[in-house]
C-alpha cells in the first residue's frame, strides 16, 4: 500500500491549551511479511511520515530513511502491473494466479454430487431431495419476512449463523441434541432419501436417549 496508518492518539484539550503528543515507532512499524523468505522483513527506503487530523487532512510531513533487511522483493512488478497500480477492478486470472503462486481452484461446485458435512445450508438450494430445497426456501422467506417487519438484526443473525454454516456445525450448534450419526440421517433426507434418512435419525436418537450421558455430542472421523 502507498499509505498506511502507523499510530494515532486521541486527546482532549481546552481552548488555547497546548499538549504534546507522542506516537512512537518500533521494530514492527516498517516491516512486512515476505512470502519468499517466509518471515518479516523491512524494505529499505525513504518513507514519508505524515501527521494529520485524517488521511486527507495532513498537517505535517517529513521523510525518514529506514535501513532494510536486504531481502529480495516477493513480487515482480512487471508480472503484477494491476496490483502495483492499485487498479484492482479488473484482474485477469493469469495475474491472480501469478500472485497466488499456483493455479486457482475451480470456482464451480459440482451440483451432481450429494451434499456432505462440509457443504453449507445455503447449498440446499441444489439438493436432490425436496426437503432440502424446502429448508432453503424457508430460510430465505424467514429472512425476507424479518427484514420486512423491521427485525433486520435478527434476519442478519440468521444468515450469518445458520445460512452459511456447514452441516457439521449443526452438531455443535444444537449442543448435543443432534449428534454426528443423526447428521448422517439429515444428509440422507437432504440428498433425496427421505424415508431412509428419517428412520436413521429416529434410530440414532433412540440410541442416544438410551446411552448414558457422557457430555459428548458425538464424533465422526471426516
Amino acid at each position: 500500500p502507498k499509505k498506511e496508518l502507523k499510530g494515532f492518539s486521541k486527546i482532549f484539550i481546552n481552548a488555547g491549551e497546548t499538549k504534546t503528543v507522542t506516537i512512537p515507532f518500533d521494530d514492527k512499524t516498517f516491516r512486512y511479511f515476505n512470502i519468499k523468505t517466509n518471515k518479516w522483513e523491512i524494505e529499505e527506503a525513504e518513507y514519508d511520515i505524515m501527521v494529520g487530523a485524517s488521511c486527507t487532512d495532513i498537517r505535517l510531513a517529513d521523510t525518514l530513511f529506514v535501513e532494510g533487511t536486504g531481502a529480495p522483493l516477493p513480487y515482480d512488478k512487471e508480472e503484477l502491473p494491476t496490483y502495483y497500480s492499485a487498479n484492482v477492478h479488473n484482474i485477469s486470472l493469469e495475474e491472480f494466479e501469478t500472485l497466488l503462486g499456483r493455479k486457482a481452484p475451480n470456482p464451480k461446485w459440482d451440483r451432481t454430487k450429494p451434499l456432505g458435512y462440509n457443504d453449507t445450508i445455503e447449498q440446499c438450494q441444489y439438493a436432490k431431495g425436496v426437503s432440502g430445497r424446502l429448508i432453503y426456501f424457508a430460510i430465505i422467506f424467514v429472512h425476507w419476512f424479518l427484514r420486512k417487519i423491521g427485525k433486520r438484526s435478527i434476519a442478519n443473525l440468521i444468515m450469518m449463523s445458520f445460512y452459511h454454516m456447514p452441516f457439521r456445525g449443526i452438531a455443535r450448534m444444537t449442543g448435543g441434541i443432534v449428534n454426528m450419526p443423526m447428521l448422517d440421517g439429515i444428509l440422507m433426507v437432504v440428498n433425496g432419501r427421505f424415508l431412509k434418512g428419517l428412520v436413521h435419525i429416529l434410530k440414532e436418537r433412540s440410541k442416544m436417549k438410551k446411552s448414558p450421558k457422557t457430555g459428548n455430542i458425538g464424533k465422526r472421523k471426516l
Side-chain angles (χ1 to χ4, degrees), residues 12-221:
F12 296 92
I13 57 174
N14 298 314
E17 186 182 2
T18 300
K19 285 186 178 180
T20 300
V21 177
T22 301
I23 302 175
F25 288 165
D26 58 19
D27 60 332
K28 301 177 181 63
T29 302
F30 298 95
R31 72 178 190 174
Y32 71 96
F33 190 80
N34 191 309
I35 62 169
K36 281 189 176 179
T37 62
N38 200 35
K39 61 180 182 180
W40 294 97
E41 304 285 3
I42 296 175
E43 185 178 358
E44 186 171 300
E46 278 198 347
Y47 291 86
D48 293 326
I49 309 300
M50 293 170 281
V51 182
S54 70
C55 63
T56 59
D57 185 10
I58 302 301
R59 308 287 181 86
L60 193 65
D62 204 346
T63 58
L64 176 68
F65 176 78
V66 178
E67 186 176 347
T69 52
L73 290 177
Y75 304 112
D76 189 333
K77 188 174 182 177
E78 294 182 357
E79 293 181 348
L80 300 169
T82 306
Y83 289 97
Y84 271 90
S85 67
N87 182 24
V88 293
H89 297 291
N90 295 298
I91 304 171
S92 66
L93 177 61
E94 292 74 19
E95 192 173 353
F96 175 69
E97 289 179 339
T98 300
L99 178 72
L100 194 63
R102 61 179 185 276
K103 287 287 184 182
N106 187 353
K108 294 182 179 179
W109 177 61
D110 187 356
R111 298 182 184 180
T112 63
K113 291 184 178 180
L115 296 175
Y117 297 118
N118 295 321
D119 292 311
T120 62
I121 307 298
E122 176 194 7
Q123 289 171 278
C124 280
Q125 60 184 301
Y126 310 118
K128 293 181 179 179
V130 176
S131 301
R133 295 196 295 274
L134 286 175
I135 291 171
Y136 168 78
F137 287 114
I139 296 172
I140 294 297
F141 175 77
V142 170
H143 177 260
W144 171 84
F145 180 74
L146 289 172
R147 288 174 66 91
K148 198 74 174 176
I149 62 174
K151 303 289 185 180
R152 185 182 293 268
S153 59
I154 299 176
N156 291 338
L157 182 63
I158 290 174
M159 298 302 281
M160 288 187 293
S161 62
F162 189 71
Y163 185 74
H164 297 295
M165 181 180 66
F167 277 93
R168 55 184 162 78
I170 294 175
R172 287 186 175 275
M173 188 184 75
T174 57
I177 296 174
V178 177
N179 60 16
M180 292 303 288
M182 289 173 66
L183 184 58
D184 289 334
I186 293 174
L187 286 171
M188 289 179 195
V189 171
V190 167
N191 288 315
R193 294 179 290 171
F194 181 82
L195 291 177
K196 187 175 182 180
L198 183 61
V199 170
H200 187 87
I201 294 170
L202 295 174
K203 184 178 178 182
E204 293 299 331
R205 181 65 181 170
S206 179
K207 283 183 183 179
M208 189 168 63
K209 285 184 176 180
K210 291 178 182 179
S211 61
K213 292 184 179 180
T214 59
N216 199 330
I217 62 174
K219 295 180 180 179
R220 175 62 56 87
K221 186 176 180 181

